[in-house]
Every structure is written in structure tokens, then in C-alpha cells.
Amino acid sequence: MHFDIKDQLHNPLGTRTLDEFEIPCASDSVDRIILWSVFTHMAEHDISLYLKEFRRVLKPGGMVFATFFIINDEIAKSARATNRTIFDLRFEHLYADGCFINDPVHPMGAVAYTVPKVRQIIEASELKFRYPILFGSWSGLFPSSATDAGQDALVLYKA
């Protein structure tokens, strides 16, 4: 299915806004939702809208796997020193409270959030953390492993 949602980076000529979007699934009907490199391109408002919809469609115990870029001073320092990705992820520009962007010309090109901001967004969604945040190797601070998503990963669930 394609939804013509306007997006600064991926669909600038879209005809609908995310505020109008509803996942075409019945409430309490979905077991798993997987987002790979989606929230890494979204502002808090849009992430919150998606999480609200996920909460609606997930069965109790249903889970969401989503990748993020999580940032703090130590992670940022390592990312800037190691430059482990082809995207030169430096996150030097404050975009909003707890949110940093890589490129002010294309703000949604890469977006990072602080741990407190991620926790605030998740708490507001009424989803819960199934596991602690799994920090990926993108910044060079955390070693790569067989389970490494590159990006930082969250597993959430509906209680």
C-alpha cells in the first residue's frame, strides 16, 4: 500500500499530512511492527503520531522494533572522531529540545535524540520498553556485534 504522505525528504510533493493518516488495520490486531531507519528521519511530532497509531493497532503484548540515532556528548564526540558511516553523522545542530540534526538544509536527512527525549516520547505513547536501548555501532563508541543494527534499536511493547 502507498500513502501519499508529504515528507520533506522522501515525498515533498505528497498530498496528505501525517496528521490525517491512520494505519488501515483494526485496533488490537497486529503482533509485530518493524521500522528500520524510519524514525532516524523524523521529528518528534511525527514519531509521536506513529507511536500513537502503533499503540492502537498492536495486540496486548505486541511489539515494535524501531531504530533511532541516540546522542549524548560522549556519543557525539566519538561519531565526530571516527566518522564510521558514509553520511558523516555529526549531529552538530540543535533542532529542538533533545533533538539534533546533521544538516540544517535538509533537517530530516538524519535526526538524533537524547535518551531523556526518547524516554519522554515513548512514555507519552503509552508503549513500554521491552528491553534496554541497544546501542549500535554507528558512532564508533559501541563495538559492532552479530546483533548490531548499526543504528540504535528499541524494542517496545503494548502492555
Side-chain angles (χ1 to χ4, degrees):
M1 300 178 108
H2 173 76
F3 302 97
D4 195 23
I5 306 295
K6 184 174 184 153
D7 178 81
Q8 177 241 349
L9 183 65
H10 298 102
N11 193 23
L13 301 177
T15 59
R16 297 178 66 199
T17 67
L18 194 54
D19 294 298
E20 305 170 59
F21 178 70
E22 185 174 287
I23 297 172
C25 295
S27 297
D28 301 317
S29 66
V30 175
D31 291 311
R32 303 287 186 266
I33 298 171
I34 300 171
L35 295 96
W36 195 283
S37 198
V38 176
F39 289 163
T40 56
H41 301 286
M42 298 180 99
E44 177 183 353
H45 172 77
D46 293 344
I47 293 171
S48 295
L49 290 173
Y50 269 104
L51 292 176
K52 179 182 173 186
E53 270 298 281
F54 296 166
R55 170 111 180 35
R56 180 184 69 79
V57 303
L58 281 172
K59 294 177 182 178
M63 291 191 283
V64 176
F65 173 91
T67 61
F68 280 76
F69 289 122
I70 308 290
I71 196 92
N72 62 26
D73 291 342
E74 187 180 18
I75 292 169
K77 182 179 177 181
S78 178
R80 293 168 192 160
T82 63
N83 196 19
R84 300 241 355 230
T85 75
I86 62 171
F87 304 107
D88 193 25
L89 297 175
R90 304 175 72 74
F91 298 113
E92 295 174 314
H93 309 281
L94 181 64
Y95 185 73
D97 178 44
C99 176
F100 293 82
I101 58 172
N102 210 47
D103 179 0
V105 176
H106 302 98
M108 296 302 108
V111 183
Y113 291 93
T114 62
V115 169
K117 179 52 79 173
V118 168
R119 291 193 185 287
Q120 178 187 344
I121 294 168
I122 302 307
E123 184 177 303
S125 76
E126 298 182 17
L127 294 171
K128 308 288 183 199
F129 285 89
R130 172 63 72 194
Y131 304 106
I133 296 169
L134 174 63
F135 290 96
S137 60
W138 70 271
S139 70
L141 184 61
F142 303 99
S144 184
S145 71
T147 59
D148 180 18
Q151 297 175 2
D152 307 308
L154 278 61
V155 179
L156 311 170
Y157 75 102
K158 178 178 177 176

